[in-house]
Amino acid sequence: MTEKVQIGFEGQAIHLGLDKLLPTRSVQPEVRKTRKFAQILSSIREIGLIEPLIVTPADLASGLHMLLDGHLRLLAMRDLGLATTACLVSRDDEGYTYNKRVNRLATVQEHYMVLRALERGVPEDRLAKALDLNIVSLRRKRDLLDGICPEVEEMLKDRNFSADIMRYLRKMKPQRQIECADLMCSMNNFSVNYAGALLAATTSDQLLEPSQTKGLKGLSSAEISRMEQEMSLVQSRFKVIEQSYSNDVLNMVLARGYLNKLVSNKAVASYLQRRQPDLLEEFRSIVKITSIEDDANVSKVA
Amino acid sequence: MKKAPVMEDVPIEAIEILNPRERNQKVFQELVESIRLLGLKKPITVAERSGAGGKRYILVCGQGRIEAFQALGQTSIPAQVIEATDDEAFVMSLVENIARHTPRTLEQLDAIRSLKRRGHSVVAIARKTGLDPRWVSGMLELLEKGEQRLVTAVEAGRVPLAIAMAIAKAGSDDADVQEVLQTAYESGDLRGKKVLTVKRLIDERRRAGKGYGQKGTRQNRGQRLTSSALVRAYNREVERQKMLIRKADGVQQRLAFVSGAMTRLLGDEDFLNLLRAEGLTSMPAILDPGKNGGELR
């Protein structure tokens, strides 16, 4: 017999004045400038609040309810000049779990949801308005995967990125698309500029339509060919070291720990001072290195 | 004017999901566990449709919660029933998924601090949130010390809490911090790629401080691509890769040097005797000419 899941809120939603709600966390005023806040505001204006805010029962003395979930929505509703809103009263007073369990929508998933809604006949302008997008950006989300090979879709499926990077990837042949997506993942850089740079550094035989220009204005062909060469050189070298690097760092940490024991041991240090003074000096300088940054800069050794 | 929403217990099999999404399995498992332990924190939202065989519903939001309920063997789920056309339901479910702020770690932990401020004990907070009491008290302590960088790393699972706390305790003394890393590795708390992550974190913390400072919230609206921005992005990434290559080369050369030097030293019988006398014969495999690690004979 399966156990009944507990319910963490009281029966029906109630309507409360916004002035009866007491925030439990601080909200930075700069949040108003973010894209997400603009979307929240415009969605409330266009279609209203979907999920109720979550509050505690009223405090007997003040009559105020502590707000557990919905701090940004409250701010947006205040900005919109609304007076009351639907609230659910929680049976607990913690506000941690609400935000913690949000499963963020990845860009590829967002594309599928937009695509399906539009295919089912939801008007474009309506969706665009509710999401505070212009029609062009909405279509860009809809067409996100056009001309993108399935391997790249798979590599990027859990990521969040601007739909604009696909504009560049889709000009490449599949093999090169995969290479670039792989590079973006391993550098953890999904910026539009980087995608553009990768396209610039793509040789014309790896482009879908070699005769076409890459659509990158303002770059000389000499500049582009320098980028192509340098990039391919650096990339192949980078692939090789990516494998061994973390292992080497680990060994270096361990070696350094041991060397530290050696040079801080009086007897050993004085023995080395007499017999191998140059080694002792090198050991000491290695022990002093504390960050990997220094490993790159100090070229004294070897 | 539309009818006010009504709360009902709705049979799960009567709910149709118009616009399903795939989700991250790990986050989903956490949701199931949280609901099992703490219960359902808010109802799902559905719109009613009359069908031939009784009431039907279409989902507006709460796919994760429905699936979690099913995973827990439930057949019905509390739902807020609203009036909405299919179009509206589509728009609403997209809005719920997209027009939503993903709170940063520090914002999330504000909720924990708020509970603490209101006088709840660590044990009570742990019970309310389903968190491990050690995690709660450790995080509160790190926050108290202003170790935002460490807090974020722990929350993201990049660094074990115990190690973050040890780093915080070591303060700004580099040698102590180094020691923490060493001990953590030897005790097996830190393996493989994590070593690198933690090392990087320590470097960051030293260079840029414990907190993140007053950086405004990021705005990524309307990135315009100009050729100079593109060349900059290109140069920056190639430079980053070259830097990594340089670092890797540096580390490799230094390792080669150290292991060469040790081979030379260990060939010296006097030196070996000295190491034995001082109890220093246990060394990392990389330094041992026999490459088998552990004790020298």
Side-chain angles (χ1 to χ4, degrees):
Chain A
M1 191 58 213
T2 47
E3 264 178 73
K4 190 89 187 129
V5 169
Q6 282 180 48
I7 303 306
F9 47 88
E10 303 292 345
Q12 302 293 332
I14 52 175
H15 267 79
L16 293 174
L18 299 191
D19 56 347
K20 294 286 179 227
L21 304 177
L22 187 69
T24 53
R25 74 172 175 85
S26 54
V27 178
Q28 302 290 322
E30 301 90 68
V31 88
R32 282 202 176 87
K33 295 185 205 137
T34 61
R35 186 85 197 83
K36 286 294 167 191
F37 186 78
Q39 288 190 315
I40 292 169
L41 191 98
S42 118
S43 74
I44 294 176
R45 189 175 48 221
E46 295 302 319
I47 54 172
L49 201 66
I50 302 164
E51 295 201 300
L53 304 187
I54 312 281
V55 299
T56 61
D59 177 69
L60 290 178
S62 65
L64 295 178
H65 298 258
M66 279 191 292
L67 179 64
L68 298 175
D69 182 39
H71 284 82
L72 289 190
R73 286 177 290 160
L74 176 62
L75 191 63
M77 286 190 285
R78 286 204 170 125
D79 286 0
L80 288 169
L82 301 177
T84 64
T85 188
C87 297
L88 263 185
V89 177
S90 170
R91 291 181 175 155
D92 202 313
D93 64 349
E94 64 82 24
Y96 176 77
T97 51
Y98 300 95
N99 276 327
K100 186 54 195 150
R101 304 299 164 215
V102 171
N103 212 334
R104 188 175 183 194
L105 190 67
T107 306
V108 169
Q109 280 304 311
E110 177 190 83
H111 150 76
Y112 280 119
M113 290 188 81
V114 168
L115 182 66
R116 222 174 283 129
L118 293 175
E119 278 174 358
R120 289 279 298 251
V122 176
E124 270 184 338
D125 57 333
R126 181 141 194 221
L127 197 50
K129 226 173 183 177
L131 294 172
D132 190 36
L133 292 171
N134 60 41
I135 299 283
V136 177
S137 333
L138 185 74
R139 289 184 185 153
R140 209 167 279 163
K141 286 181 190 300
R142 179 193 66 191
D143 302 334
L144 184 81
L145 296 176
D146 286 6
I148 298 297
C149 69
E151 290 86 351
V152 169
E153 178 186 343
E154 180 65 25
M155 291 161 88
L156 299 181
K157 72 173 185 194
D158 290 327
R159 305 282 184 163
N160 286 86
F161 52 87
S162 156
D164 286 341
I165 71 171
M166 296 308 203
R167 279 223 307 266
Y168 298 111
L169 289 186
R170 69 171 62 94
K171 293 195 167 152
M172 307 169 186
K173 286 184 179 165
Q175 204 49 47
R176 177 65 181 162
Q177 282 183 14
I178 296 171
E179 222 173 87
C180 290
D182 184 39
L183 210 57
M184 296 180 107
C185 291
S186 72
M187 297 307 286
N188 196 23
N189 183 345
F190 298 91
S191 73
V192 178
N193 280 334
Y194 186 40
L198 288 170
L199 177 64
T202 300
T203 52
S204 61
D205 61 318
Q206 289 174 304
L207 291 176
L208 220 47
E209 288 171 56
S211 55
Q212 276 202 340
T213 56
K214 294 168 186 169
L216 299 163
K217 294 192 192 88
L219 286 181
S220 70
S221 61
E223 219 168 353
I224 290 182
S225 94
R226 179 187 68 82
M227 285 165 86
E228 284 173 6
Q229 283 175 15
E230 183 179 40
M231 190 81 114
S232 80
L233 217 71
V234 171
Q235 272 170 26
S236 54
R237 184 87 182 87
F238 180 71
K239 278 281 142 210
V240 175
I241 63 124
E242 210 188 8
Q243 313 297 324
S244 58
Y245 183 40
S246 62
N247 219 2
D248 286 347
V249 168
L250 172 58
N251 280 325
M252 201 59 229
V253 167
L254 294 177
R256 202 171 277 149
Y258 183 72
L259 289 186
N260 191 25
K261 284 186 201 162
L262 287 190
V263 300
S264 11
N265 181 296
K266 276 212 181 90
V268 175
S270 84
Y271 179 89
L272 288 175
Q273 185 67 58
R274 271 179 287 120
R275 308 282 281 267
Q276 307 272 1
D278 46 335
L279 279 192
L280 179 64
E281 197 192 323
E282 284 298 349
F283 284 179
R284 284 198 170 124
S285 78
I286 290 174
V287 167
K288 265 196 231 126
I289 298 170
T290 44
S291 87
I292 351 182
E293 308 302 320
D294 300 340
D295 280 326
N297 301 331
V298 182
S299 54
K300 200 173 159 197
V301 167
Chain B
M1 187 70 194
K2 284 185 177 171
K3 273 193 303 187
V6 196
M7 198 75 71
E8 277 176 37
D9 208 33
V10 171
I12 290 175
E13 49 87 26
I15 304 171
E16 184 197 349
I17 301 175
L18 288 180
N19 205 350
R21 58 173 281 203
E22 274 175 43
R23 50 193 64 243
N24 178 305
Q25 273 310 305
K26 188 170 156 278
V27 183
F28 175 67
Q29 280 314 321
E30 286 172 8
L31 176 68
V32 173
E33 192 49 26
S34 167
I35 289 179
R36 190 184 67 78
L37 212 64
L38 306 169
L40 182 70
K41 288 287 185 166
K42 55 183 180 184
I44 64 165
T45 304
V46 297
E48 198 176 312
R49 294 282 174 274
S50 48
K55 278 189 195 171
R56 302 291 302 168
Y57 302 86
I58 57 172
L59 182 71
V60 173
C61 66
Q63 189 190 342
R65 280 163 281 173
I66 291 181
E67 286 168 2
F69 258 55
Q70 283 176 317
L72 292 168
Q74 309 293 303
T75 51
S76 66
I77 185 167
Q80 166 182 235
V81 184
I82 62 169
E83 237 182 74
T85 63
D86 279 13
D87 275 9
E88 283 169 334
F90 260 118
V91 174
M92 284 177 170
S93 80
L94 270 161
V95 163
E96 261 315 302
N97 277 294
I98 296 172
R100 137 171 275 162
H101 166 74
T102 314
R104 315 247 149 134
T105 306
L106 294 170
E107 288 173 345
Q108 282 170 7
L109 290 171
D110 250 8
I112 303 281
R113 290 171 102 174
S114 162
L115 286 168
K116 187 83 197 327
R117 265 199 308 276
R118 280 180 264 146
H120 291 297
S121 69
V122 165
V123 176
I125 296 174
R127 199 178 50 234
K128 282 168 183 293
T129 55
L131 296 166
D132 182 332
R134 276 168 307 185
W135 192 91
V136 174
S137 74
M139 288 302 233
L140 284 170
E141 195 183 317
L142 289 177
L143 284 169
E144 205 69 24
K145 289 185 178 165
E147 296 278 4
Q148 300 179 350
R149 222 172 266 286
L150 291 175
V151 164
T152 310
V154 172
E155 164 68 28
R158 294 202 303 268
V159 179
L161 177 62
I163 291 175
M165 294 191 65
I167 293 174
K169 194 165 276 166
S172 51
D173 187 326
D174 283 342
D176 287 354
V177 172
Q178 198 65 32
E179 181 70 29
V180 169
L181 200 57
Q182 177 85 14
T183 317
Y185 178 76
E186 281 165 3
S187 67
D189 285 344
L190 213 52
R191 281 289 137 107
K193 269 210 151 130
K194 280 228 164 130
V195 181
L196 200 57
T197 314
V198 175
K199 189 104 179 53
R200 238 180 237 145
L201 177 70
I202 291 172
D203 290 352
E204 280 277 293
R205 177 174 170 272
R206 180 182 34 238
R207 208 181 53 240
K210 308 189 271 190
Y212 290 114
Q214 280 307 84
K215 249 193 311 182
T217 334
R218 216 160 38 130
Q219 294 175 54
N220 46 12
R221 200 167 188 173
Q223 283 174 318
R224 287 284 308 161
L225 185 66
T226 61
S227 64
S228 65
L230 184 146
V231 170
R232 263 202 311 279
Y234 166 83
N235 285 336
R236 200 169 42 235
E237 279 315 299
V238 168
E239 203 33 62
R240 248 175 89 196
Q241 289 172 350
K242 282 185 181 163
M243 184 66 182
L244 259 173
I245 293 171
R246 268 203 301 280
K247 283 181 196 173
D249 285 345
V251 173
Q252 227 167 46
Q253 285 173 8
R254 192 159 296 115
L255 265 181
F257 166 79
V258 175
S259 92
M262 282 311 288
T263 310
R264 174 139 57 106
L265 284 173
L266 294 172
D268 172 356
E269 195 58 35
D270 293 343
F271 186 73
L272 253 181
N273 284 332
L274 180 58
L275 288 189
R276 290 198 186 100
E278 298 293 323
L280 288 170
T281 51
S282 160
M283 65 186 68
I286 189 79
L287 297 183
D288 189 341
K291 298 268 187 235
N292 21 355
E295 300 278 325
L296 288 176
R297 293 120 282 140

